[in-house]
Amino acid sequence: MIQEKKYLSITAAIFLIIAVLHLLRLVLGWGAEIGGWMVPSWLSWIAVVVAGLLAYMGFKLVGKKS
């Protein structure tokens, strides 16, 4: 039970960090390139929403495990 709570906390924190980094990319105008392909900024908006939702759901599950 404690192992599961730690796992959920860590994964939720990782998703939160990913969401924040994508948001920073959008706000600060950072570029992103993968193998010569410039990643469009609208893709980061999707990443912010998806990673943010996954972080929220993870932290919500941690609260239920208490």
Side-chain angles (χ1 to χ4, degrees), residues 47-58:
V48 167
V49 171
V50 171
L53 283 173
L54 289 171
Y56 170 76
M57 290 170 29

Side-chain angles (χ1 to χ4, degrees), residues 17-47:
I17 290 167
I18 290 169
V20 169
L21 287 173
H22 276 285
L23 191 58
L24 281 173
R25 175 186 181 240
L26 292 166
V27 171
L28 299 176
W30 294 342
E33 187 175 326
I34 300 173
W37 176 64
M38 287 300 295
V39 179
S41 60
W42 62 264
L43 206 53
S44 280
W45 282 114
I46 294 171

